[in-house]
């Protein structure tokens, strides 16, 4: 089997309400890029990459499209059934930009699943007895609004919550205490500053709530800062934004720098590279959260397939973007939230394709 054509599409994703993160970052829409890879045997695969704007990670929508346009002509004629070989080839023809390469990786796993008549989770190692619980984000707002959002998600089956931080030391401490007082049995709350605290701020906040059962995610921007904070505090830490390549996870686990990690599939370069990260975390008994980045049900379905391969006792939740956007390119298809969980479809490959009438005309086509 050979790649015979590659088409790129763009889609704007307005958000129902603006999402607010630390360091004054506000997002009211995302820009997603879709890739369709055709083969000479009539099987096509789909992928999607959608960064959180341009100020969240070292990834941005224009970078996705430019990188894919650079690589696409050089991928024609290659075998999509050899994911490791193709990923190494992409790394040779374009340095870095692994978030953009994830789109190709997702599409070839879709092709492989269709060619073998198996869902992607079976190709990734097999289906675990994991119902794929969802993780709900609770963004910065008033106490009443944040508590209302928690209750709304709780009422439809959510038990895992990522509560955003970043309004100042005193307000963050008050938020943590307010939320923790209302926690119910079996619920998990992660307090996430998205790298927004300085080491001084993180240490003060975390030590001020040391009497509570709390977990913190990415308290500071860099790994070195987070590790410094870890020596001054006692609560469990989850690392997210600073974890990009396998070597970052190796370093953190060797340093005993965290108890949990977040695996963003696009950020780490796709499913092919994420497999090794998953297996490393399992070897160290590290619990995992995961998502793709932003995007539509196409990305959420990729995440659901990967999450399905993680044992339930090591999986803490998958974040999904489809609940926050106003555009749906594949209505009633793909991985959807049911009672706080997001199981993947059992169809061959990814199990969902976007409607071309929603995507519109392609940005570029390569043959």
């Amino acid at each position: 089997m050979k790649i015979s054509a590659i088409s790129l599409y763009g889609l704007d994703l307005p958000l129902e309400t603006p999402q607010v993160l630390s360091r004054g970052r506000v997002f009211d829409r995302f820009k997603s890029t879709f890739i369709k890879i055709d083969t000479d045997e009539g099987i096509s695969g789909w992928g999607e990459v959608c960064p959180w704007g341009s100020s969240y990670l070292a990834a941005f929508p224009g970078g996705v499209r430019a990188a894919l346009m650079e690589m696409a002509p050089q991928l024609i004629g290659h075998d999509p059934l050899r994911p490791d070989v193709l990923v190494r080839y992409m790394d040779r023809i374009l340095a870095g930009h692994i978030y953009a390469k994830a789109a190709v990786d997702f599409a070839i796993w879709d092709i492989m699943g269709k060619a073998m008549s198996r869902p992607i989770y079976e190709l990734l190692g097999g289906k675990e007895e994991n119902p794929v619980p969802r993780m709900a984000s609770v963004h910065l707002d008033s106490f009443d609004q944040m508590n209302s959002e928690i209750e709304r998600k709780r009422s439809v089956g959510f038990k895992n919550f990522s509560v955003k931080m970043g309004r100042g030391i005193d307000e963050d401490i008050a938020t943590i205490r307010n939320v923790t007082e209302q926690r119910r049995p079996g619920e998990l709350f992660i307090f996430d500053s998205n790298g927004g605290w300085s080491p001084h701020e993180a240490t003060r906040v975390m030590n001020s709530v040391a009497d509570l059962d709390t977990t913190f995610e990415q308290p500071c921007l860099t790994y070195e800062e987070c590790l410094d904070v870890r020596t001054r505090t006692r609560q469990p830490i989850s690392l997210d934004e600073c974890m990009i390549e396998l070597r970052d996870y190796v370093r953190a686990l060797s340093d005993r720098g965290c108890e949990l990690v977040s695996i963003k599939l696009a950020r780490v370069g796709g499913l092919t590279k994420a497999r090794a990260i998953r297996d490393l975390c399992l070897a160290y008994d590290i619990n995992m959260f995961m998502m793709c980045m932003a995007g539509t049900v196409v990305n959420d379905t990729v995440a659901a397939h990967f999450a399905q391969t993680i044992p339930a006792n090591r999986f803490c939740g998958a974040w999904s973007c489809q609940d926050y956007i106003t555009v749906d390119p594949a209505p009633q298809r793909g991985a959807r939230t049911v009672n706080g969980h997001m199981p993947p479809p059992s169809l061959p490959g990814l199990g969902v394709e976007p409607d071309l009438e929603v995507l519109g005309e392609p940005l570029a086509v390569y043959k």
Side-chain angles (χ1 to χ4, degrees):
M1 183 183 292
K2 303 295 181 183
I3 294 174
S4 59
I6 296 177
S7 303
L8 305 179
Y9 299 85
L11 186 65
D12 278 7
L13 307 177
L15 297 172
E16 288 186 336
T17 57
Q19 303 294 297
V20 182
L21 300 183
S22 59
R23 299 181 184 265
R25 294 168 290 181
V26 181
F27 306 90
D28 63 3
R29 66 182 54 241
F30 299 131
K31 290 183 178 293
S32 194
T33 301
F34 294 80
I35 187 170
K36 181 188 180 190
I37 297 181
D38 297 317
T39 69
D40 59 359
E41 294 187 15
I43 298 175
S44 300
W46 283 91
E48 177 188 9
V49 168
C50 183
W52 266 73
S54 302
S55 61
Y56 174 59
L57 296 170
F60 70 106
V64 176
R65 296 174 187 182
L68 290 175
M69 289 177 181
E70 176 74 19
M71 292 188 297
Q74 302 180 68
L75 299 178
I76 303 300
H78 284 264
D79 186 348
L81 302 184
R82 304 169 69 194
D84 295 277
V85 172
L86 195 57
V87 164
R88 288 192 289 268
Y89 178 67
M90 286 193 288
D91 287 342
R92 287 201 303 274
I93 63 176
L94 180 65
H97 303 282
I98 61 173
Y99 63 97
K101 297 170 185 174
V104 175
D105 187 72
F106 297 152
I108 63 175
W109 280 91
D110 187 21
I111 289 170
M112 287 191 293
K114 290 172 179 174
M116 300 176 191
S117 299
R118 306 291 293 277
I120 287 177
Y121 59 75
E122 293 292 358
L123 305 186
L124 288 171
K127 182 178 182 179
E128 289 280 356
E129 295 305 315
N130 175 2
V132 189
R134 279 283 313 278
M135 168 67 70
S137 290
V138 183
H139 285 263
L140 295 173
D141 211 321
S142 66
F143 285 168
D144 287 345
Q145 288 296 326
M146 294 176 80
N147 286 329
S148 175
E149 177 65 9
I150 291 170
E151 186 55 41
R152 185 174 74 86
K153 293 294 188 180
R154 181 183 280 147
S155 68
V156 293
F158 284 71
K159 292 187 176 182
N160 301 322
F161 302 88
S162 174
V163 182
K164 302 305 179 182
M165 300 278 99
R167 290 188 297 185
I169 292 172
D170 290 339
E171 285 198 60
D172 285 343
I173 292 170
T175 299
I176 293 167
R177 290 195 173 277
N178 178 273
V179 168
T180 303
E181 288 173 359
Q182 301 178 52
R183 181 170 51 198
R184 296 181 183 178
E187 291 183 340
L188 173 65
F189 284 87
I190 305 290
F191 298 98
D192 184 5
S193 78
N194 293 107
W197 286 330
S198 69
H200 171 69
E201 291 171 318
T203 301
R204 284 188 60 189
V205 172
M206 293 170 69
N207 284 337
S208 294
V209 295
D211 58 308
L212 303 177
D213 179 10
T214 52
T215 299
F216 291 87
E217 183 166 350
Q218 196 68 35
C220 303
L221 188 62
T222 69
Y223 173 72
E224 290 77 13
E225 290 174 331
C226 291
L227 194 61
D228 178 57
V229 167
R230 185 170 177 79
T231 68
R232 305 170 191 271
T233 57
R234 56 182 291 271
Q235 296 97 325
I237 286 179
S238 174
L239 293 177
D240 182 2
E241 286 89 339
C242 66
M243 309 291 275
I244 300 172
E245 297 184 86
L246 176 61
R247 68 186 69 186
D248 299 319
Y249 290 84
V250 170
R251 179 187 182 190
L253 302 193
S254 298
D255 289 344
R256 299 189 182 277
C258 60
E259 284 73 33
L260 307 93
V261 296
S262 176
I263 303 173
K264 286 186 170 67
L265 294 174
R267 183 186 65 203
V268 304
L271 294 167
T272 301
K273 292 186 174 181
R275 290 178 303 171
I277 295 170
R278 174 200 63 192
D279 294 344
L280 175 72
C281 292
L282 291 177
Y284 276 79
D285 285 328
I286 296 294
N287 283 48
M288 291 165 263
F289 301 98
M290 56 86 50
M291 57 185 285
C292 189
M293 279 198 287
T296 70
V297 67
V298 175
N299 265 352
D300 289 345
T301 304
V302 174
H305 278 283
F306 186 77
Q308 187 70 80
T309 70
I310 301 172
N313 67 338
R314 293 292 174 263
F315 186 70
C316 294
W319 187 81
S320 164
C321 190
Q322 63 186 270
D323 296 343
Y324 300 89
I325 59 177
T326 61
V327 175
D328 188 347
Q332 301 180 354
R333 305 192 299 277
R336 301 290 176 169
T337 302
V338 180
N339 296 325
H341 298 84
M342 191 175 67
S346 57
L347 300 171
L350 184 60
V352 62
E353 296 183 356
D355 293 333
L356 289 176
E357 56 266 30
V358 176
L359 298 185
E361 293 297 315
L363 302 171
V365 178
Y366 302 91
K367 296 183 179 180

